[in-house]
Amino acid sequence: KDDVESQIADASEAVRLSPASAEAHLFLARALLGRDDADRALGHLKLALKELPQQRESKSFGRGRCGKTLLIV
């Protein structure tokens, strides 16, 4: 149980430091599910989904050898 609480604390800090980070919200959602806090986890999953399209656009760069845009996800 202490490990889950530590993960929640770390993930909460990540969200605080980078509230637009889909990865931080996903990390926190997963930790919250470890504590059976599905309602809060769902809220962070929704925030992550909201941020993913924006992060994909901002991380897109150049074209690969096959002529397709490369994405870092």
Side-chain angles (χ1 to χ4, degrees):
K1 195 73 168 177
D2 290 334
D3 189 42
V4 171
E5 295 305 319
S6 176
Q7 290 175 4
I8 291 171
D10 291 345
S12 296
E13 181 68 1
V15 168
R16 186 186 73 76
L17 293 172
S18 188
S21 169
E23 290 86 359
H25 286 286
L26 289 171
F27 180 42
L28 182 52
R30 185 174 183 191
L32 289 167
L33 286 174
R35 190 173 67 188
D36 294 326
D37 193 345
D39 290 336
R40 284 185 59 206
L42 180 60
H44 286 282
L45 287 172
K46 288 179 180 179
L47 288 168
L49 287 173
K50 177 182 164 191
E51 295 300 333
L52 278 175
Q54 295 168 351
Q55 287 184 7
R56 283 188 183 153
E57 288 174 16
S58 69
K59 290 183 180 179
S60 170
F61 52 92
R63 293 206 176 265
R65 283 190 242 173
C66 62
K68 297 192 179 194
T69 301
L70 300 174
L71 298 176
I72 305 292
V73 179

